[in-house]
Amino acid sequence: MLKEYDSIISKLWEEYQLTKNEAEKTAVQLESVPKAKTRLNELKSKIRALGNVNVGAIEEYKEVAEKYSFISVQVNDVEKSKAEIERLIRELTKQMQEEFIKSFEEINRNFTFTFKELFGGGTASLSLTDPEDILTSGIDIVVHPPGKIVVHLDALSGGEKALVAIALYFAIMKVRPAPFCVMDEIEAALDEVNVDRFAQYVRNLTDKTQFILITHRRGTMEEADVLYGVTMQDEGVSKLLELRASEVSAKLGI
């Protein structure tokens, strides 16, 4: 009897990790021992069907839960950052559109005036190819020199195209004056009359911008304050010459 008692106590611990006192506390009165044994066998079959018990599952769950919590916080931060960036993009896009429209309208007005002054008349304007999407829209240049009907810029002569580009450049400079500007034979394709107009127009802009012009045209040189020339008196030896218009005028009494 004692041996059977010890066997039961040992089995209780080995299979259920319970002591005698713990088992007594959780014990219930059985209505039918055969039914209890049948139910026990069913439960054991289900337990066996579950396979081997992973004793480290609890620790693994804790680690996975901690990682999930950490990643969830990171995802929330990223989503908040994304929303903030999208808001900033919308604000910047709106500001860019407003600034573009404002500058475009100013340049368009200035282009009309500079074109008339350089061409001695006519009309010119700028228009957007896609007003609904101004930040990706192209820009059309529409010009009508005095006495001409022009459908496309390709119908203009080389000199006229150059003068249109110069008029547009000056229109932009009026909106955003640059303190310093270098032009490399920008008026090379112009005739003498338009060279004089160009040079006089540059002279009118010198109150806000300092110009350095590389040129071979006489009309441009005549409007310059200082002329610099490079000569080669001896082969392979260059020499820089400087001529100030104010000194020449004083010497000639002009």
Side-chain angles (χ1 to χ4, degrees), residues 173-174 177-180 204-211:
M173 286 194 65
K174 284 185 176 181
F180 190 79
N204 294 334
L205 298 176
T206 55
D207 57 334
K208 294 182 179 179
T209 304
Q210 181 181 2
F211 291 92

Side-chain angles (χ1 to χ4, degrees), residues 28-150:
V28 295
Q29 187 67 33
L30 297 177
E31 296 179 358
S32 172
V33 174
K35 288 183 178 180
K37 288 183 177 180
T38 301
R39 177 59 177 163
L40 178 61
N41 291 330
E42 291 176 355
L43 294 176
K44 286 183 177 180
S45 297
K46 290 181 179 180
I47 291 173
R48 285 194 297 270
L50 293 175
N52 295 329
V53 177
N54 183 5
V55 294
I58 296 177
E59 293 299 324
E60 291 179 4
Y61 171 78
K62 290 181 180 179
E63 293 179 3
V64 172
E66 290 177 358
K67 290 181 180 179
Y68 175 80
S69 299
F70 175 77
I71 293 175
S72 297
V73 172
Q74 298 298 313
V75 169
N76 290 334
D77 290 342
V78 170
E79 290 177 347
K80 290 179 181 178
S81 299
K82 177 186 176 183
E84 179 65 17
I85 292 173
E86 289 176 344
R87 184 186 65 79
L88 291 174
I89 290 174
R90 288 192 297 270
E91 290 182 358
L92 288 173
T93 301
K94 182 180 178 181
Q95 293 177 7
M96 290 167 61
Q97 290 174 338
E98 293 173 352
E99 287 295 323
F100 180 86
I101 292 173
K102 180 181 177 181
S103 298
F104 180 79
E105 290 175 350
E106 291 180 10
I107 292 173
N108 193 17
R109 287 193 297 270
N110 292 336
F111 180 52
T112 301
F113 295 143
T114 55
F115 182 87
K116 289 181 179 179
E117 291 174 352
L118 290 174
F119 276 84
T123 60
S125 64
L126 303 173
S127 62
L128 298 174
T129 59
D130 186 5
E132 300 299 324
D133 189 7
I134 62 175
L135 294 183
T136 60
S137 172
I139 298 176
D140 285 334
I141 302 175
V142 182
V143 297
H144 297 287
K148 282 190 175 184
I149 299 177
V150 178

Side-chain angles (χ1 to χ4, degrees), residues 157-171:
S157 66
E160 288 172 332
K161 290 179 183 178
L163 201 58
V164 169
I166 292 170
L168 180 57
Y169 180 70
F170 285 155

Side-chain angles (χ1 to χ4, degrees), residues 162-200:
L163 201 58
V164 169
I166 292 170
L168 180 57
Y169 180 70
F170 285 155
I172 295 172
M173 286 194 65
K174 284 185 176 181
V175 177
R176 296 288 187 272
F180 190 79
C181 180
V182 178
M183 296 182 178
D184 187 358
E185 298 191 51
I186 192 174
E187 84 293 37
L190 304 183
D191 56 27
E192 293 298 331
V193 174
N194 287 327
V195 168
D196 292 338
R197 287 178 180 170
F198 161 78
Q200 292 170 5

